[in-house]
Amino acid sequence: MKFGIVVCPKCKHPKGVQLVHKTTRCIRCGKMLTLAKLKILYQTDSEEQLRRALGLVNADMEGKRKDFEELLRSQHKTCR
Ligand SMILES: [Zn+2]
């Protein structure tokens, strides 16, 4: 998996990251995040999927969790 989504523990801002990197900086609050210490919410090899998932994580913040879970389910299907 090349890409992942993490959430900043300080300001709760979701962020897409390249998993080859060990750290990333939160674009909202500027905090340096260590990927090994964070929960990876979503992982994918496709940058397009990452952007789609990131959009849904953002939507989740507005109470649209179902859409995100749907995406995770469809992801499992394509993996099979
Ligand atoms: Zn932050």
Side-chain angles (χ1 to χ4, degrees), residues 44-73:
T44 179
D45 280 325
S46 152
E47 196 167 3
E48 192 193 324
Q49 280 282 345
L50 178 77
R51 261 189 240 117
R52 200 171 144 219
L54 193 56
L56 288 175
V57 171
N58 279 311
D60 185 36
M61 302 294 157
E62 291 153 24
K64 289 179 184 168
R65 180 172 290 275
K66 260 188 188 169
D67 289 347
F68 185 59
E69 283 171 357
E70 203 112 304
L71 177 83
L72 290 181
R73 264 199 296 275

Side-chain angles (χ1 to χ4, degrees), residues 18-33:
Q18 290 188 41
L19 296 176
V20 290
H21 295 159
K22 288 200 170 68
T23 59
T24 184
R25 192 180 288 276
C26 175
I27 49 169
R28 181 181 278 177
C29 71
K31 184 179 169 61
M32 188 59 87
L33 310 172

